[in-house]
Amino acid sequence: MFENLEELHPDPILGLMTAHRNDASLKKIDLGVGVYRDESGATPIMKSVLEAQKIRHETEQTKSYIGPPGTPEFNTLTRKLMFGNDNQAEKSNRIAGVQTPGGCGALRVAAELIKRARPKTTIWVSDPTWANHQPLLGNAGLNLKEYAYYQKSSRSLNTDGLLESLSNVPAGDAVLIHGCCHNPSGVDLEPQHWEAIADLAINQGFTPFIDLAYQGLGDSLDEDAIGVKILSERCPEVIVASSYSKNFGLYRERVGSLQIVSPNVAQTTIVQSQLGSVVRGIYSMPPAHGAAIVETILSDKTLKLQWVEELSTMRDRINLLRKELANRLTREIDQDFSFIEKQKGMFSFLGIDTNQVARLQKEFAIYMVDSSRINVAGVNNSNIDYFVESMTTILKN
Ligand code: LMR
């Protein structure tokens, strides 16, 4: 059966975890996979999550199935968090949604639904985008094309290129946009860009498809969802895939959601039934545990406050590190690295080439994605000197 298959290279992001783990160097640094790390390099369970888990253990009464969409409470709380309390689409019952196994599950369910609705749809992704967008959407059989996004020369948004590319997207296609904390570049859209994208979507008839995997890790929970709010208020149809891996630290529990705004309630009912059927045909229904933790926290005032504070601590740490890295690298290498401070979320491109990335790994045991994407949270007080020294050696020799 499988004799014709070939062995594949390790995943470009997950493969780094194994390579780093197997590296015997005492100085090794993992700036690869997007997992939050504290000052000691650990990824601890958030206190609010531990508390919610305790409550769940004490109160859980059954392990019976939860059904393909997950619980209604989870979906309602998730919508509130992303769309806000006063959203017209939500108030008029125009959002269908399912809990999914992580943000990846949400992206794949969306792709399968798009395939059912319009098999010839092209999904437009930013240049560059997260490496796993290609298999998650492409393996469902959809065609992918790129729109301009990141400008290498300025290490910031290519605003003209972005708007120009999107003005060529035909009706019926979908445009995948990172809601915040762009992965891999850290370069985010401002409200005026979201408004311009809404204008283009309405005028041309394409569907905005937001991937919101880092809400709360950029500016704040509210500000990071500004794109979801603007597009869902203005556009007749919006797809939002979201993840609780990063902002709740629930990586291995696989908690995410797919919410779809439709122009009217009748269409929403259809989408909801189709979503249930897509899910049933792939994994039948999502796991319950992680979603129940999120539900417990978001529905309890005290726990929610605690979670928001913990999330702010994580974000503040990342932003402090950005500042320090930008200052240190600029000073020691005598090149402008101030872009690191301006970017948002876990990731930044260092802007070095693949040979330099390979040298950092081989000669200094510093691991990052080939594109020179670093997970800023992997830096701490005990490794920053070594990191800056290694970068200086690589860039000056
Ligand atoms: C990343 O981009 O590093 C994370 O989203 C983890 C992953 O699955 O790739």
Side-chain angles (χ1 to χ4, degrees), residues 127-163:
D127 173 21
T129 197
W130 178 43
N132 212 28
H133 277 149
Q134 172 69 45
L136 280 170
L137 306 168
N139 290 359
L142 295 170
N143 186 28
L144 266 66
K145 280 189 185 157
E146 287 184 335
Y147 60 87
Y149 190 86
Y150 176 76
Q151 190 159 50
K152 271 198 185 130
S153 53
S154 61
R155 300 201 160 113
S156 61
L157 188 69
N158 177 358
T159 311
D160 292 345
L162 166 75
L163 300 180

Side-chain angles (χ1 to χ4, degrees), residues 184-309:
S185 72
V187 171
D188 275 1
L189 300 174
E190 299 292 337
Q192 69 271 20
H193 303 127
W194 289 106
E195 296 285 358
I197 292 172
D199 290 340
L200 289 167
I202 294 162
N203 291 338
Q204 286 164 228
F206 64 74
T207 301
F209 178 177
I210 301 175
D211 183 356
L212 188 65
Y214 294 85
Q215 189 182 1
L217 284 160
D219 289 319
S220 68
L221 281 164
D222 271 344
E223 286 164 289
D224 291 352
I226 190 73
V228 174
K229 288 169 193 153
I230 291 174
L231 293 184
S232 61
E233 291 288 359
R234 296 196 48 204
C235 302
E237 199 170 61
V238 183
I239 305 166
V240 185
S242 72
S243 166
Y244 286 121
S245 295
K246 327 280 171 168
N247 55 8
F248 276 81
L250 284 168
Y251 308 90
R252 63 177 63 176
E253 301 295 356
R254 312 309 298 140
V255 199
S257 107
L258 176 64
Q259 306 294 326
I260 298 183
V261 176
S262 292
N264 54 57
V265 175
Q267 184 64 44
T268 309
T269 309
I270 295 171
V271 171
Q272 187 67 55
S273 74
Q274 290 281 344
L275 280 174
S277 149
V278 168
V279 166
R280 183 75 171 134
I282 315 179
Y283 51 83
S284 187
M285 54 194 86
H289 184 68
I293 289 170
V294 170
E295 198 178 304
T296 303
I297 293 173
L298 293 182
S299 57
D300 180 296
K301 229 174 151 194
T302 315
L303 274 180
K304 184 170 175 192
L305 210 68
Q306 186 181 6
W307 167 66
V308 170
E309 273 171 22

